[in-house]
Amino acid sequence: MRTRRVEGLAQDGRTHHPPQEHPVSSQAPPPGPADTHTGTRTLAAVTHTAFFLLLGASMARFLLHHPGDPRTPWVVALGTALALLYVLGPALGAAPTLRRLLWLGVVVTTYVVLVLLAPSFAWCAVPLFYTALRTLPPRAAVVLVALLTALVVAAQLKLSPSFDPNLLLAPPAVAALATAVFVHMERQARAQRTLIDDLIRTRRELAATERREGTLAERQRLSMEIHDTLAQHLSSQQMLLQAADRTWDSDPATARAHVRTATDIAARGLAEARRLVHDLAPPELAGGGRLADALRALDAGPDIEVRFHLEGTPAPLPDRAESALLRIAQGALANVREHSGARTAALTLSYLGDQVVLDIADDGRGFTAPREPGGETPDRGRTPDRGHGLPAIRARVRQLGGTLTLESTSGEGTVLSAAIPLEPVR
C-alpha cells in the first residue's frame, strides 16, 4: 500500500520547480542561518589551513636545525599523528559530544608531548585555540587557552639564546586577541540568530493577521451579498406568496400573477446562489479548470520539488469534491513545507472506479504515529493531531463521506491519503 503511494517520488512525472515565495514585507528578507553557517565554514577552513601550514613549517624548521637528532623519529611520528588526528576533527562535528571531547583531549596531549620534544612546534597552538573555543564551554576553553599559551611562552624562551621580553608578552597578546575575536563573533552570531528568529516570528504573525483580516473582510462581503440578493429575494417571495394566498379565492388571476412573479424571483435567487458558490470555488478551478491541472501547478516553497502523477481514467467529480481535494493538497503541502524538512514531495491522483484517492508523499523526517492501547496502529481515518492542518483536512474528507489515512515512520517520510467515494455529478 505504502509502496504504491510513494512511487510518485521516483517516477518521471511532470516536475514542478516552484517559484520563490513573495515575502510579506517589500524589503529583502533578512540573512538566514545559511549565511551564518557560510561564515563559520570559511573561518574553519582558514583555521585548518593555518594549522597545517604551521605544522609543516615547524617540521621543516626542526629537520633543518637538528639533522641526525635522535628525537627525529619521535618528532616525525608525533607530527604525523597530530596531523591525522586533526583531520578527524571536522568529521566529529562542532557540538561538544563525548567523542569530540575525547578527540580534543588526545589532540592536546599529542601536541604537548610534541612541543616538549621539539619547541619549534609551539606556534601550532594558535589554531588549537579556535578548536578549544568551539568545543569547550567558555570557562573551560579560556583555561585551556591559558595553559597552551604558557606552554608556548616556555617553548619560545627555551629556543631563545637570551631573555627576550617579546617572547614573554607576544604569545599572551596573540591568545587574548584570538579569544576576544572569537567570543565577539559568537556573541554577534547569537544576536543575529535571535534577530532572525524574531523577524521570522513577526513575519508569521503579520501573515496570520493579514489572513484573519482577509477572512473577516470576505465574511463581511458575503454577508452583504447574501443580504442584498438572496435575503431580499426570499423576502419578496414570501410577501408575494402571502398575497397570493389571501387573494386565491376572491381573485384567482391576481393570485396566479403573484405566484408567477414569485417563481421569477426564485429563479433569479437561484442564479445568484450559483454565482456565489462559483465565486467561493478555488480560483484554480474557476472557469471549468481541471483538478489534475490545478494539482500539477501546486508548489510547496522554493526548496521543495513537487511532482504530480495521474493514475486511471479521470471521471467527473462534483464541484465540492474537486474543491475539497485541491484544498487538501494545499494543506498537506503546507504541512510538508512547515514541518517535514523534505526535499521532494509527490502528489498522486488515482481514479479507482468507485472512488478517487489523493496521495501526498514526502521524503522528510517523518514521525512516529501514536498507537492505540494494546499496540494497535490507528484506524483508517484517524491521524495524530498536529496543529490545525490535519484536523481541517480530516473535516473536509468526512464531509464528503471519505476516509483519511496517515502513514509515517521517523526518518522515512510521510504519506497522507484521502479517499473520496465517487458520486454522479448532479
Side-chain angles (χ1 to χ4, degrees):
M1 181 68 173
R2 181 179 176 88
T3 303
R4 184 186 67 80
R5 294 174 185 154
V6 182
E7 67 181 355
L9 288 172
Q11 291 179 347
D12 295 330
R14 180 182 182 273
T15 301
H16 178 68
H17 298 280
Q20 186 75 23
E21 290 185 348
H22 296 287
V24 174
S25 172
S26 59
Q27 297 177 351
D35 302 295
T36 303
H37 294 164
T38 301
T40 303
R41 287 196 298 268
T42 301
L43 180 59
V46 172
T47 305
H48 299 335
T49 303
F51 175 81
F52 287 109
L53 288 176
L54 290 171
L55 184 63
S58 301
M59 182 68 73
R61 184 181 187 280
F62 177 82
L63 295 177
L64 289 174
H65 286 77
H66 305 279
D69 192 295
R71 297 172 297 171
T72 300
W74 289 101
V75 171
V76 172
L78 287 172
T80 304
L82 182 60
L84 294 176
L85 287 170
Y86 196 86
V87 168
L88 293 177
L92 300 177
T97 60
L98 179 60
R99 289 194 304 172
R100 176 79 176 180
L101 295 176
L102 291 175
W103 168 82
L104 180 61
V106 174
V107 168
V108 171
T109 302
T110 305
Y111 165 76
V112 170
V113 174
L114 182 60
V115 173
L116 293 177
L117 286 177
S120 303
F121 290 84
W123 284 106
C124 292
V126 176
L128 293 181
F129 293 166
Y130 171 76
T131 303
L133 289 167
R134 284 191 64 198
T135 305
L136 298 175
R139 292 185 179 179
V142 170
V143 171
L144 180 57
V145 168
L147 293 176
L148 292 177
T149 302
L151 180 62
V152 172
V153 171
Q156 293 301 306
L157 291 176
K158 183 178 181 180
L159 289 175
S160 177
S162 59
F163 177 76
D164 187 347
N166 286 332
L167 300 180
L168 185 63
L169 299 177
V174 172
L177 178 62
T179 303
V181 169
F182 181 85
V183 170
H184 178 69
M185 290 177 58
E186 281 293 298
R187 289 177 178 173
Q188 280 193 326
R190 284 196 297 270
Q192 185 184 42
R193 287 193 292 268
T194 302
L195 177 61
I196 291 172
D197 292 340
D198 290 342
L199 289 175
I200 292 175
R201 183 171 58 254
T202 302
R203 176 176 293 177
R204 288 175 177 172
E205 292 174 354
L206 179 59
T209 301
E210 291 181 348
R211 285 195 296 269
R212 286 194 298 269
E213 292 178 351
T215 301
L216 292 175
E218 182 65 11
R219 287 179 178 176
Q220 184 177 9
R221 184 189 71 83
L222 286 175
S223 65
M224 294 174 62
E225 288 272 357
I226 293 173
H227 176 270
D228 295 339
T229 56
L230 298 181
Q232 295 294 334
H233 290 159
L234 290 173
S235 177
S236 299
Q237 291 175 55
Q238 182 184 29
M239 289 188 295
L240 288 169
L241 292 175
Q242 288 174 347
D245 182 62
R246 289 194 301 268
T247 61
W248 192 264
D249 295 329
S250 61
D251 191 355
T254 302
R256 293 190 189 93
H258 290 330
V259 171
R260 286 193 295 270
T261 304
T263 302
D264 294 338
I265 294 176
R268 291 198 298 271
L270 180 60
E272 288 289 345
R274 288 173 174 170
R275 183 185 64 81
L276 288 174
V277 171
H278 181 272
D279 290 343
L280 290 176
E284 296 86 350
L285 298 176
R290 297 175 62 240
L291 176 61
D293 294 334
L295 293 174
R296 186 177 287 111
L298 293 180
D299 67 78
D303 299 322
I304 301 177
E305 180 183 357
V306 179
R307 299 174 180 174
F308 174 76
H309 183 65
L310 179 64
E311 292 184 354
T313 302
L317 298 176
D319 292 341
R320 59 194 298 263
E322 289 192 341
S323 299
L325 288 172
L326 179 59
R327 295 306 189 202
I328 289 170
Q330 291 172 331
L333 290 179
N335 280 347
V336 171
R337 178 176 64 251
E338 295 292 335
H339 306 296
S340 72
R343 304 295 299 174
T344 305
L347 297 177
T348 304
L349 182 64
S350 305
Y351 291 89
L352 305 178
D354 60 342
Q355 64 177 352
V356 58
V357 180
L358 176 64
D359 298 321
I360 301 96
D362 67 71
D363 59 358
R365 64 178 65 94
F367 59 93
T368 301
R371 292 182 175 270
E372 300 296 325
E376 297 181 358
T377 55
D379 297 332
R380 286 182 61 87
R382 300 190 59 185
T383 60
D385 291 334
R386 299 189 304 164
H388 301 287
L390 287 175
I393 291 174
R394 183 189 296 111
R396 293 183 186 277
V397 173
R398 286 178 176 174
Q399 288 174 357
L400 296 172
T403 56
L404 182 68
T405 305
L406 187 67
E407 301 176 14
S408 182
T409 303
S410 181
E412 297 184 7
T414 303
V415 177
L416 184 146
S417 179
I420 307 297
L422 287 177
E423 299 177 358
V425 179
R426 298 177 180 177

